Amino acid sequence: MNFKTSLTFAKEMDNKDPLKDFRNQFIFPSFHKNKMRYFTGNSLGLQPVTTREVIGEELDDWGRFGVDGHFMSRRPWFSYHEELTSMAADIVGAKEIETVITHSLTTNIHLLMVSFYQPKGKRNKILCEKKAFPSDQYALQSQLKFHGYTKDQLIEVGPREGEHLIRHEDIISAIEENKEELALVFIGGVNYYTGQYFNLKEITEAGHKAGAFVGFDLAHAAGNVNLQLHKWKVDFAMWCSYKYLNSSPGGVSGLFVHEKHAENNSLPRFAGWWGHDKEQRFMMEDEFYPMKGAEGWQLSNAPVLGMAAHLASLKIFKEAGMFRIGEKRDLITAYLEFLLEEVNKRHQGFLEIITPKNPSERGSQLSILFKKDGKEMFNKLTESGVVADWREPNVIRIAPAPLYVSYEDCWFFADILNQHA
Ligand SMILES: Cc1ncc(COP(=O)(O)O)c(C=O)c1O
């Protein structure tokens, strides 16, 4: 595609955008004196217009039915999570039996590590990416401690000296070099800081060849990049719904366990009554019989209001389809990158985009490293109504989320940089 720098070109792109009407399905923040341009769908996605209505329906049914709403409400709360399963499974390329919406993200990291981190003898190490999101690091460290180990059991693969990204071949060779000792490979599917999307298929293959389980934290991947968890034979994964999936602050999480483990009751797990065989749940028996598949990892009955917010958003994703979302993601991200590079040429290379250039190694996030005065530039953007994300020491992260960011928004962003560089 031959991009151009003019505002007219941006407007033409918006006119031709097959997803342009989806923008109207979201509420843009309006507290600023200027029109707001929202680039933080990688942190907290915008509120869909329908969220209030769907949550309102649950409040109405709670008022009308009280406890009987568990079976009498329009979407019975007893089986509420089932309303979401197939739409959520489609987003991550999973089967329904492999998917459940439940708990919060870090809770699910712990629950699945209980099952899939099983150190035995010298096979006790975990391989992860250096500078993983802090919650992942704390979860890994505390799981190691729980099993009586220390950080020495953690193999962290980082970028080479002077580089920002982690080379795929370095991850694969670290797996091969440690194949006798590796119990688990656990990586963030898309790195929160650089936006690097790892090759999950090949990492899974390498991990399995080494005799380890393989799992991914997909917080920055779900609803952003195209995933095929079932096909790639990933053992387990989890994600949050409040970033690219627009399902309310701190919203419910998704959990994936591959079908091959669906009936493996010998996997250790922390159990709760909602994971128990649903036909017998109310017999209140002492012994735990897990449901088949991902549902067997549920602890508690569903937080219906949070689930309702997720339901509202998943319907939008179903209508748009991950294929079309992916097409726009690649195009608008490449366009934004083009504009930034043009501004950069005009201003003696004042910035560096540290996110991979290759579309198959990124989603819709670009991380911009400023050579100097990044915070001042961030403040200028904020003053003009742009919502972006600042990360110390000198990085601005932006995500042109395909469902509601326009080409004109991207043009505006680059124009502010151009004015203040
Ligand atoms: C990659 C990653 N993992 C874990 C978390 C923690 O999520 P939660 O607070 O929902 O447990 C986040 C939050 O942003 C994240 O980005």
Side-chain angles (χ1 to χ4, degrees), residues 79-95:
S79 51
Y80 203 90
H81 65 276
E82 294 171 16
E83 302 273 342
L84 295 87
T85 305
S86 111
M87 290 186 284
D90 283 350
I91 287 174
V92 295
K95 292 189 173 185

Side-chain angles (χ1 to χ4, degrees), residues 90-108:
D90 283 350
I91 287 174
V92 295
K95 292 189 173 185
E96 289 190 32
I97 191 157
E98 297 170 326
T99 313
V100 69
I101 301 300
T102 186
H103 318 131
S104 64
L105 172 55
T106 307
T107 310
N108 284 337

